[in-house]
Amino acid sequence: LREVLARLRTVLRRRASISAPNADPKNDVLVFETFTLDIGRRLAVTASGGEIDLTTGEFDMLAVLCRHPKRVYSRDTLMELTRGRNLDAFDRSIDAQVGRLRKKIEPDPSKPDLIKSVRGVGYVFTGKPVSR
């Protein structure tokens, strides 16, 4: 029972540090070179003004990655933060979701520049924030 409680606290602490709403509404809008992510309205918009159609899972993953650019996230951590469950041994759903997300936000999905794979670890968002 103690171990279950410790694991629960860890998950809640991670989730709170990544997805806690900020008091400042400006922090809910993340602006990058190629797109803008409005977390409060759950909206992604290209630099030219077109809306990017994202599923709930894709949006949640993009929000986690964009809140902390240049931070490497393991597949397990992404699964916990976006779906609230652990990754199964042969579960490739995170990889498939990243692939679909790349097709929607990358200029050239075959040569990803925004969401890069870190071999043996996971994924990192390398987009450059634009100062407002």
Side-chain angles (χ1 to χ4, degrees), residues 37-64:
L37 189 67
D38 187 339
I39 295 172
R41 293 179 17 199
R42 297 188 64 82
L43 180 68
V45 180
T46 63
S48 61
E51 188 174 328
I52 303 170
D53 187 32
L54 299 174
T55 65
T56 299
E58 291 166 349
F59 185 89
D60 291 344
M61 178 155 320
L62 188 58
V64 166

Side-chain angles (χ1 to χ4, degrees), residues 16-125:
S17 69
I18 300 296
S19 63
N22 298 319
D24 184 6
K26 289 181 184 176
N27 289 338
D28 280 350
V29 178
L30 305 172
V31 181
F32 296 94
E33 293 173 340
T34 57
F35 68 94
T36 300
L37 189 67
D38 187 339
I39 295 172
R41 293 179 17 199
R42 297 188 64 82
L43 180 68
V45 180
T46 63
S48 61
E51 188 174 328
I52 303 170
D53 187 32
L54 299 174
T55 65
T56 299
E58 291 166 349
F59 185 89
D60 291 344
M61 178 155 320
L62 188 58
V64 166
L65 292 168
C66 288
R67 281 191 170 133
H68 300 283
K70 301 195 181 8
R71 178 177 173 185
V72 179
Y73 285 97
S74 69
R75 288 170 181 82
D76 291 328
T77 303
L78 287 170
M79 181 66 91
E80 276 184 29
L81 294 173
T82 59
R83 298 198 181 129
R85 64 181 174 93
N86 291 329
L87 193 66
D88 293 330
F90 297 104
D91 193 350
R92 304 300 290 181
S93 61
I94 293 294
D95 301 323
Q97 194 168 49
V98 167
R100 288 190 305 269
L101 192 55
R102 283 176 172 161
K103 288 178 184 176
K104 293 180 180 183
I105 67 167
E106 294 277 0
D108 183 4
S110 64
K111 297 177 186 169
D113 198 35
L114 294 173
I115 301 175
K116 294 195 177 206
S117 299
V118 179
R119 187 179 173 125
V121 180
Y123 297 98
V124 61
F125 180 76

